[in-house]
């Protein structure tokens, strides 16, 4: 289990234990965290699981693979800390990870 | 009014195969889809990406899968109504009356909703003021390019639509192309062409910028764009075009009296019926314990939903379970001797 904090756009934090091996998106969906839609179910085809990684954590998260940046073009108000949470796998190295949620996904 | 046994909403793989299964048991179906082509997410989101988990098909693209399903459906000749969205669903005695946004009306014993995560809509700008000008000077698609002639057009996006329109309109308009990063994701030949046109002074390019605001009294006068570093820049323009792909919206489905849980419709796993008798939901849109959002699950769900439709469409008949290998009835329906 790895602790992840999802902070809603209004500032409300949700800290939960997510099973290692799941994605950050799945952790949110399975725990009913509001603000992550994940319409396509994790196939990197919709950009509705968009998050902003906390600045301190951004470099520690495994880099983007091909296609993710293209998809982030489609996200709502992307910035340089933007990632698709379906592409970030949860492991012990990410214990304490903080992600900020955008004001909306679409 | 078009009368049929089953109205299928959604022409993606799940909807198409459900129509096949309806045909096998002798039920007629009509299909309605909001997109301009058959194939749903397979065609809209990943036509060229290989899929590896369709049973007995080691590898195929979204487009190949769609074409094969269309081929498989041919014996049943279903009518497919594209570019139409189902708006209204109402009960009338033993029937459902279904109305589309184009004014078409259907009467059906059953409805199978195979609508993916809803209908595809263009992804819109979030900048303030953008709604006010939508459809007047700000668009998400080009319907009549003549209006841009000799005008300034500011295009946002980094994919093929944005690049293609920038190239096309640069012949007759002043084109400004804005994208949120330096890399474009369109075809290399289009990217090269845009860079060439920029050198020739025919396209003005701003990268690492996003739309910040749209201003004007009655008419769009100027926009401001914001750089990654926070700096703002004003641009005078007559038109704004945004090409950010499509998103899926549940849309009118939410108003049909169906139970909805997190953008999905709960169903039973015996025949995938919803809380409304005669309305079934299959594919990505339905939910039940253990649901997998896989195409193969959608096929299974369609096969069972089709059998579920039989009772209401043929109340006086008994549904016999038959194989396509041996049943004369089924082979007849398939047009085989």
């Amino acid at each position: 289990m790895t602790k992840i904090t999802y902070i809603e756009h209004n500032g409300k934090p949700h800290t939960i234990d997510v099973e290692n091996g799941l994605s950050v998106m799945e952790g949110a969906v399975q725990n009913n965290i509001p603000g992550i839609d994940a319409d396509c179910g994790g196939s990197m085809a919709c950009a509705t699981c968009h998050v902003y990684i906390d600045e301190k954590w951004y470099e520690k998260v495994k880099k983007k693979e091909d296609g993710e940046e293209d998809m982030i073009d489609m996200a709502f108000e992307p910035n340089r800390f933007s990632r698709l949470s379906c592409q970030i796998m949860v492991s012990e190295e990410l214990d304490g990870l903080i992600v900020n949620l955008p004001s909306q996904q679409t | 009014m078009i009368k049929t046994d089953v109205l299928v909403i959604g022409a993606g793989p799940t909807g198409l195969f459900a129509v096949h299964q309806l045909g096998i048991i002798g039920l007629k179906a009509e299909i309605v889809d909001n997109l301009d082509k058959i194939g749903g997410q397979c065609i809209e989101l990943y036509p060229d990406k290989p899929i590896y988990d369709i049973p007995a098909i080691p590898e195929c693209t979204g487009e190949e899968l769609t074409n094969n399903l269309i081929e498989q459906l041919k014996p049943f000749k279903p009518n497919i109504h594209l570019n139409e969205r189902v708006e209204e669903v109402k009960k009338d005695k033993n029937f459902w009356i279904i109305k589309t946004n184009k004014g078409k009306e259907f009467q059906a014993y059953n409805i199978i909703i195979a609508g993916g995560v809803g209908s595809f809509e263009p992804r819109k700008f979030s900048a303030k003021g953008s709604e006010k000008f939508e459809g007047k000077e700000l668009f998400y698609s080009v319907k009549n390019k003549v209006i841009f002639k000799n005008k300034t057009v500011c295009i946002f996006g980094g994919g093929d639509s944005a690049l293609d329109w920038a190239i096309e309109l640069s012949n007759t308009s002043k084109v400004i192309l804005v994208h949120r990063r330096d890399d474009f994701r369109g075809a290399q030949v289009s990217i090269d062409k845009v860079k060439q046109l920029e050198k020739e002074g025919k396209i003005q390019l701003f990268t690492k910028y996003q739309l910040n605001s749209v201003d004007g009294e009655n008419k769009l006068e100027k926009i401001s764009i914001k750089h990654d570093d926070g700096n703002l820049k004003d641009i005078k323009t007559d038109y704004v075009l945004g090409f950010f792909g499509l998103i899926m919206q549940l849309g009118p489905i939410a108003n049909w009296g169906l139970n909805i849980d997190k953008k999905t419709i709960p169903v039973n796993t015996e025949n995938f019926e919803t809380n409304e008798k005669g309305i079934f939901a299959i594919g990505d849109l339905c939910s039940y314990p253990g649901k997998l959002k896989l195409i193969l699950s959608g096929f299974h769900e369609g096969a069972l939903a089709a059998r579920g439709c039989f009772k209401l469409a043929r109340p006086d008949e008994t549904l016999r379970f038959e194989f396509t290998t041996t049943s004369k009835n089924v082979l007849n329906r398939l047009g085989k001797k």
Side-chain angles (χ1 to χ4, degrees):
Chain A
M1 290 287 192
T2 292
K3 265 200 188 348
I4 297 183
T5 302
Y6 301 80
I7 302 177
E8 283 184 66
H9 193 70
N10 62 17
K12 189 176 171 194
H14 302 262
T15 300
I16 51 169
D17 289 319
V18 179
E19 224 173 295
N20 292 333
L22 291 180
S23 68
V24 172
M25 175 276 279
E26 287 169 303
V29 170
Q30 290 181 8
N31 289 284
N32 295 316
I33 307 288
I36 290 195
D37 291 353
D39 282 346
C40 78
S43 61
M44 210 160 77
C46 76
T48 62
C49 66
H50 172 214
V51 298
Y52 308 113
I53 308 289
D54 179 84
E55 202 173 335
K56 289 191 285 297
W57 278 94
Y58 188 75
E59 292 301 323
K60 292 179 203 158
V61 175
K62 201 163 156 268
K63 294 276 163 294
K64 296 184 198 97
E65 293 201 15
D66 278 358
E68 186 180 339
E69 192 69 70
D70 288 349
M71 210 59 234
I72 290 175
D73 280 351
M74 314 279 192
F76 183 85
E77 296 187 344
N79 69 22
R80 65 193 185 91
F81 301 109
S82 288
R83 290 292 307 265
L84 299 184
S85 58
C86 69
Q87 299 302 309
I88 304 168
M89 293 310 132
V90 174
S91 61
E92 271 161 28
E93 298 89 80
L94 295 185
D95 196 40
L97 174 70
I98 299 167
V99 299
N100 296 291
L101 307 183
S103 60
Q104 60 185 84
Q105 289 288 356
T106 56
Chain B
M1 173 101 73
I2 301 168
K3 293 182 182 176
T4 187
D5 290 321
V6 184
L7 183 94
V8 176
I9 302 171
T14 297
L16 293 174
F17 192 67
V19 173
H20 177 268
Q21 290 296 297
L22 290 163
I24 290 280
I25 58 173
L27 297 186
K28 291 295 268 176
E30 302 270 330
I31 312 175
V32 176
D33 195 297
N34 192 32
L35 285 175
D36 59 359
K37 45 194 172 298
I38 302 171
Q41 291 179 55
C42 280
I43 282 294
E44 198 54 48
L45 299 181
Y46 47 84
D48 311 322
K49 276 193 198 168
I51 308 169
Y52 298 101
D53 58 356
I54 307 296
I57 303 177
E59 178 179 344
C60 72
T61 64
E63 190 176 10
E64 286 162 355
L65 182 78
T66 303
N67 289 340
N68 280 338
L69 283 162
I70 294 171
E71 183 66 31
Q72 199 169 17
L73 267 190
K74 271 194 180 149
F76 308 118
K77 303 183 189 73
N79 292 319
I80 304 184
H81 309 265
L82 296 173
N83 283 314
E84 285 194 55
R85 187 164 86 165
V86 173
E87 293 292 316
E88 206 182 287
V89 165
K90 273 201 181 124
K91 186 88 194 169
D92 180 27
K93 294 180 200 116
N94 297 328
F95 298 103
W96 290 100
I97 305 295
I98 301 106
K99 285 184 191 161
T100 73
N101 61 344
K102 300 273 170 72
K104 220 175 262 173
E105 267 189 53
F106 298 87
Q107 184 197 67
Y109 294 103
N110 300 281
I111 299 170
I112 295 181
I113 308 174
V117 196
S119 55
F120 287 95
E121 310 282 339
R123 202 181 290 267
K124 299 187 172 178
F125 288 111
S126 56
K128 51 182 183 293
S130 49
E131 253 169 54
K132 181 174 156 191
F133 299 101
E134 191 180 326
K136 292 188 285 186
E137 287 108 13
L138 183 151
F139 304 95
Y140 298 101
S141 64
V142 175
K143 295 219 164 65
N144 178 12
K145 64 177 186 177
V146 180
I147 60 169
F148 304 121
K149 201 175 169 187
N150 300 324
K151 302 280 185 185
T152 303
V153 185
C154 200
I155 300 176
F156 288 81
D160 281 314
S161 302
L163 295 170
D164 291 349
W165 279 114
I167 295 165
E168 166 83 24
L169 295 178
S170 69
N171 289 317
T172 52
S173 315
K174 184 178 176 225
V175 171
I176 301 162
L177 181 61
V178 186
H179 183 41
R180 62 167 276 264
R181 60 190 168 112
D182 291 329
D183 295 330
F184 288 86
R185 62 177 189 286
Q188 193 57 44
V189 45
S190 309
I191 299 172
D192 295 343
K193 180 83 184 164
V194 163
K195 299 241 157 106
Q196 179 65 28
L197 288 166
E198 190 202 7
K199 270 191 208 133
E200 293 167 13
K202 291 188 175 146
I203 289 179
Q204 216 181 337
L205 202 57
F206 291 104
T207 55
K208 294 193 172 168
Y209 278 97
Q210 297 182 57
L211 184 64
N212 180 65
S213 70
V214 187
D215 307 294
E217 279 293 318
N218 300 310
K219 190 173 168 303
L220 189 150
E221 285 157 20
K222 67 174 177 63
I223 58 170
S224 76
I225 57 175
K226 192 179 194 176
H227 192 268
D228 269 2
D229 64 18
N231 282 332
L232 293 173
K233 181 186 269 302
D234 280 351
I235 296 179
K236 268 197 170 352
T237 187
D238 300 303
Y239 291 100
V240 172
L241 293 171
F243 297 106
F244 305 108
L246 300 167
I247 48 164
M248 295 170 270
Q249 298 275 25
L250 199 49
I253 295 173
N255 311 324
W256 301 342
L258 302 172
N259 292 339
I260 289 179
D261 176 30
K262 283 191 235 155
K263 290 201 202 174
T264 62
I265 302 174
V267 291
N268 73 57
T269 47
E270 190 185 321
N271 58 14
F272 299 88
E273 201 165 28
T274 65
N275 59 306
E276 288 283 358
K277 199 172 163 61
I279 301 186
F280 302 79
I282 58 176
D284 285 0
L285 194 64
C286 75
S287 58
Y288 53 86
K291 167 66 186 170
L292 287 177
K293 284 192 180 184
L294 288 179
I295 292 171
L296 76 92
S297 308
F299 290 163
H300 161 80
E301 291 153 14
L304 285 172
R307 271 89 188 160
C309 290
F310 191 86
K311 240 177 240 165
L312 289 173
R314 303 280 184 275
D316 304 326
E317 294 176 32
T318 307
L319 176 63
R320 269 187 35 234
F321 178 72
E322 296 173 294
F323 290 106
T324 62
T325 43
T326 47
S327 159
K328 272 208 176 109
N329 270 337
V330 174
L331 288 169
N332 269 337
R333 288 172 192 144
L334 286 165
K336 311 277 179 199
K337 293 231 170 91

